[in-house]
Amino acid sequence: MTILTEKVQNFVRIQRLGYVATVCPDGTPNLSPKGTLTVWDGDHLVFADLNSPGTVRNLQNNPSIEINVVDEFIRKGYRFKGKAQVLTEGTLFKQILDFYSQTGLFDAPRRIRSTILIEVEQVRALISPGYDREVSEDQVRAQWERYYGDIRSKASGYDLKKLGCCIPTTP
């Protein structure tokens, strides 16, 4: 039996962005978004190290990892806890590198410094406290779609780069 159900696997593959928490040598947390996160198999997640020296260094010292994947519109997702393995060579590294090359990661062999394979030990649902008000998923989605739509329309009159902001102004 695999720990990652089909429902969970589909969710991760659709969302693609995960927030990865590792432990720094001084015991403080490090949080970093990973846009290459995906399912490797029923027990493992994987992401590519494109420019993650802190995350990789932390995992080499302490393989404990937590990853949160959340749908920003419905405010639901999953929390994954496990152990990470940093791969820089070997058959499995090559297989993962080939996977990213075949799935459209531009210039994957040159860009990927290492791959991180996570053995998932625990999966827990993440659900916003907003649902404590007995609202439906459709209501929550509509609220956040309006919110992000408002940001885009208000931001269109500003020079976002001057503001230090990176909100896309086109859908």
Side-chain angles (χ1 to χ4, degrees), residues 71-130:
D71 180 314
E72 66 189 66
F73 292 104
I74 64 169
R75 303 297 197 194
K76 290 182 180 180
Y78 295 96
R79 162 185 273 162
F80 305 93
K81 288 184 182 250
K83 298 287 186 232
Q85 180 181 4
V86 177
L87 304 169
T88 58
E89 60 185 8
T91 304
L92 186 53
F93 173 72
K94 174 86 169 85
Q95 289 173 345
I96 296 170
L97 195 63
D98 289 346
F99 166 80
Y100 280 113
S101 293
Q102 293 167 9
T103 56
L105 182 61
F106 173 74
D107 202 10
R110 186 187 64 78
R111 294 177 65 204
I112 295 175
R113 298 175 173 143
S114 61
T115 59
I116 293 74
L117 184 69
I118 300 96
E119 182 177 2
V120 178
E121 298 170 342
Q122 183 183 87
V123 179
R124 292 179 37 208
L126 285 174
I127 301 172
S128 167

Side-chain angles (χ1 to χ4, degrees), residues 4 12 16 34 36-41 44-48 67 85 87 92 96-97 99-100 114-120:
L4 302 172
V12 171
R16 295 179 47 190
K34 304 298 177 201
T36 59
L37 181 74
T38 193
V39 174
W40 184 247
D41 62 30
H44 296 87
L45 299 175
V46 66
F47 65 88
I67 301 171
Q85 180 181 4
L87 304 169
L92 186 53
I96 296 170
L97 195 63
F99 166 80
Y100 280 113
S114 61
T115 59
I116 293 74
L117 184 69
I118 300 96
E119 182 177 2
V120 178

